[in-house]
Amino acid sequence: MDLDPQMLKGVLGMLLLRLLDAEESYGYAVVVRLREAGVLGLAEGTVYPALTRLEGAGHLESRLVASTSGPARKYYRTTPAGREALATREASWRLLRAAVDRVGTVPDPEVLR
């Protein structure tokens, strides 16, 4: 089953920062790694603009690397500001996930009457 596009949009930046903090990579390789991790239904066309936004915000930096099989590839890696943003986003994600989990355990008000 594909992930809800709106939910994915909300966490894509965090996922990209996490992957690129672990290992420098180029756009298509990031898409492949996300798909291998189970992020299904991910369009390449959503990843590249997100990488550009993160770079524009100072969370990623890039460099061009010559390729023997085509044009140069743009490799991305996190910056110190990107690592700070990742820590903030992950903390926010943990709070949200905990809240979602708690909502599932809250008794139905109708049952309490």
Side-chain angles (χ1 to χ4, degrees):
M1 177 169 79
D2 290 350
L3 299 174
D4 180 306
Q6 290 303 312
M7 290 176 71
L8 180 56
K9 183 179 178 182
V11 298
L12 182 58
M14 181 181 65
L15 295 173
L16 293 171
L17 288 171
R18 182 181 276 184
L19 282 177
L20 294 168
D21 192 44
E23 180 181 355
E24 177 185 59
S25 193
Y26 59 96
Y28 184 71
V30 168
V31 171
V32 170
R33 287 171 59 199
L34 287 170
R35 287 178 179 161
E36 288 172 350
V39 182
L40 304 177
L42 179 66
E44 291 174 42
T46 60
V47 171
Y48 292 103
L51 290 169
T52 300
R53 282 191 301 277
L54 289 168
E55 186 176 22
H59 297 159
L60 295 177
E61 58 188 12
S62 65
R63 65 187 179 99
L64 288 177
V65 177
S67 172
T68 58
S69 62
R73 291 181 173 154
K74 192 173 189 179
Y75 278 74
Y76 296 90
R77 65 177 169 261
T78 57
T79 62
R83 283 189 274 297
E84 288 178 24
L86 175 58
T88 300
R89 290 175 187 207
E90 286 180 332
S92 179
W93 171 254
R94 284 189 296 275
L95 289 172
L96 178 60
R97 181 170 176 190
V100 169
D101 289 344
R102 281 191 306 273
V103 167
T105 61
V106 173
D108 184 341
E110 294 297 320
V111 173
L112 297 175
R113 291 182 190 187

